[in-house]
Amino acid sequence: MNQQVTKICKDFIHELNEVIGSQKAENIFILTDDNTQKFCLPELLKSEKLKGCHLITIPSGDENKNVESAVIIWKYLSENGANRKSLMINVGGGMITDIGGFAASTFKRGIRYFNISTSLLGAVDAATGGKTGINFLGLKNEIGVFAPADEVLINIDFFRTLDNENLRSGYAEMVKHALIDTRAEWDEILKFDLENINFDTLRDLVDRSIRVKERIVEQDPKEQNIRKALNLGHTFGHAFESMSYRIKKPVLHGYAVMWGLLCELYLSHVKLNFPKDDLLKLKYLTKEYYGTFNIDCNDYEALFELMTHDKKNETSEINFTLLSGIGEIHINQTATKEEIFECFDFFAGC
């Protein structure tokens, strides 16, 4: 796998022109959803390098990260002369970079692609690290490949178009990165004011958060070992997210991850003596800014069943990444059904 390059742009159009020029593509295809087509595409099209490019637009929303949308992308590429010398530029949040990367990496066994992340969540999560995929049969990212983008460009100004909920969704992944890094990073991320967003401060925090992920991915590109640290919060989180779609009350990915972090830090406290003070800090943050996912004991079996289908499981047991302290990572951890239900009790009582 090639080493992905992530750039937080200071002069977006100039840097975009530079990376497009370095590729010498025969033709260029831009993938957007209907939101990024409206709010972000006009900025891209200021680039002289994108004159005459092809535009593919699919509906927004994670429910559209599916086989049907992938077929639309492949069909357009095939009917409009895409070949192995083509370049695809995915412009959007995690949904677009996930499905765009998957479509590009499988079309003609792989064409080059860039990610231009327009959401905070996408910037610190899906756009970097080389994972691509689509949802299938109600399960998150069930079909996909490891195929890093040639370039990832991040324009912090795009985040100014986001509402509070989407900014908080992205912040949840930054909290996760801080938890698996150092206490200094954890303390720093907790100081960020979610009520009054300072975008200069956010730029610095995003850069630091991405570097945490990149350091881990560089050591373990295909998630055989330490990269599993990045799954903290996601075993419970993906179950909450999948359940929300099942009951037709979808939640943002970062909200589900934050709830998952709370459950998995509680499990860490029970099994590995993770500090109670840090668990309570996360509990306060979650209650204050993320609310809760309303579950009761009647939902536990369905959530447990969703967790058994998680891609991270390598045996019949459910696999977790847990912490014994900030930055003290324990991969390949398991828990009994009773322990998992105890986590649900803790979460439901928050």
Side-chain angles (χ1 to χ4, degrees):
M1 279 176 28
N2 60 304
Q3 181 59 40
Q4 189 176 71
V5 177
T6 302
K7 297 177 180 175
I8 299 182
C9 299
K10 294 182 178 177
D11 185 343
F12 176 63
I13 295 300
H14 174 73
E15 291 170 74
L16 176 62
N17 285 339
E18 280 192 335
V19 296
I20 292 174
S22 70
Q23 293 293 312
K24 299 180 174 58
E26 281 192 1
N27 46 20
I28 297 174
F29 296 81
I30 297 179
L31 176 68
T32 68
D33 63 25
D34 40 27
N35 283 330
T36 49
Q37 181 186 21
K38 178 179 177 181
F39 293 111
C40 304
L41 184 64
E43 181 66 20
L44 263 78
L45 294 181
K46 293 176 182 177
S47 167
E48 291 289 322
K49 300 284 188 182
L50 292 177
K51 282 195 171 177
C53 65
H54 298 271
L55 177 63
I56 311 168
T57 299
I58 61 175
S60 60
D62 203 67
E63 66 274 18
N64 294 301
K65 195 175 78 174
N66 54 30
V67 172
E68 291 77 15
S69 295
V71 169
I72 289 169
I73 298 166
W74 288 323
K75 186 170 185 286
Y76 188 96
L77 292 171
S78 185
E79 292 177 349
N80 289 274
N83 58 44
R84 287 188 178 178
K85 294 184 179 178
S86 299
L87 172 66
M88 192 150 121
I89 302 177
N90 304 314
V91 184
M95 187 276 265
I96 283 293
T97 59
D98 275 355
I99 193 171
F102 175 68
S105 59
T106 50
F107 184 77
K108 295 189 183 292
R109 296 200 178 98
I111 63 174
R112 292 167 295 168
Y113 78 93
F114 292 173
N115 287 333
I116 297 178
S117 188
T118 62
S119 74
L120 179 57
L121 176 64
V124 298
D125 184 28
T128 63
K131 284 185 177 180
T132 73
I134 56 175
N135 303 333
F136 187 63
L137 299 180
L139 299 171
K140 285 281 294 179
N141 300 319
E142 184 78 348
I143 310 293
V145 294
F146 287 95
D150 288 82
E151 300 273 357
V152 178
L153 298 183
I154 295 169
N155 180 7
I156 298 292
D157 286 337
F158 283 147
F159 302 164
R160 297 178 188 272
T161 67
L162 301 174
D163 59 22
N164 284 338
E165 287 71 24
N166 277 284
L167 287 167
R168 290 172 187 179
S169 183
Y171 176 79
E173 288 282 355
M174 296 166 69
V175 169
K176 178 200 73 178
H177 288 155
L179 282 166
I180 62 176
D181 193 40
T182 62
R183 180 158 293 280
E185 201 65 28
W186 169 239
D187 291 342
E188 197 66 31
I189 205 75
L190 288 178
K191 287 193 295 187
F192 186 66
D193 187 355
L194 283 170
E195 296 283 0
N196 302 287
I197 302 294
N198 181 312
F199 284 91
D200 290 332
T201 303
L202 184 62
R203 174 192 293 274
D204 179 56
L205 290 176
V206 166
D207 187 38
R208 289 160 57 169
S209 190
I210 289 170
R211 304 313 159 200
V212 172
K213 182 171 184 177
E214 286 184 335
R215 285 195 297 272
I216 291 173
V217 171
E218 188 173 359
Q219 296 174 60
D220 178 23
K222 293 196 174 180
E223 203 172 292
Q224 301 302 304
N225 198 317
I226 190 59
R227 183 168 178 164
K228 293 177 183 179
L230 297 171
N231 294 328
L232 181 69
H234 284 63
T235 304
F236 277 93
H238 278 163
F240 290 141
E241 191 172 5
S242 295
M243 176 71 87
S244 79
Y245 280 93
R246 181 178 289 182
I247 64 175
K248 295 184 168 41
K249 295 180 180 178
V251 299
L252 293 173
H253 174 73
Y255 278 63
V257 167
M258 188 63 89
W259 300 331
L261 286 171
L262 187 57
C263 290
E264 289 175 34
L265 288 196
Y266 177 78
L267 187 60
S268 296
H269 175 66
V270 169
K271 294 180 74 69
L272 299 173
N273 203 29
F274 180 84
K276 186 176 181 180
D277 283 352
D278 291 311
L279 173 62
L280 292 178
K281 286 177 184 176
L282 188 75
K283 179 181 175 181
Y284 173 80
L285 180 68
T286 304
K287 286 185 70 172
E288 188 75 7
Y289 294 108
Y290 296 84
T292 191
F293 186 57
N294 291 317
I295 60 170
D296 60 35
C297 56
N298 296 317
D299 300 310
Y300 291 6
E301 285 289 349
L303 286 164
F304 182 81
E305 177 65 19
L306 286 167
M307 291 168 73
T308 66
H309 289 289
D310 196 284
K311 299 179 299 304
K312 298 180 288 297
N313 300 333
E314 296 173 353
T315 66
S316 59
E317 296 182 296
I318 297 172
N319 193 289
F320 297 93
T321 291
L322 300 178
L323 303 178
S324 56
I326 304 299
E328 297 172 13
I329 300 161
H330 300 261
I331 63 171
N332 298 328
Q333 301 295 297
T334 59
T336 65
K337 190 174 186 178
E338 289 72 23
E339 287 170 331
I340 291 169
F341 279 23
E342 183 182 336
C343 294
F344 289 144
D345 283 339
F346 169 76
F347 179 74
C350 286

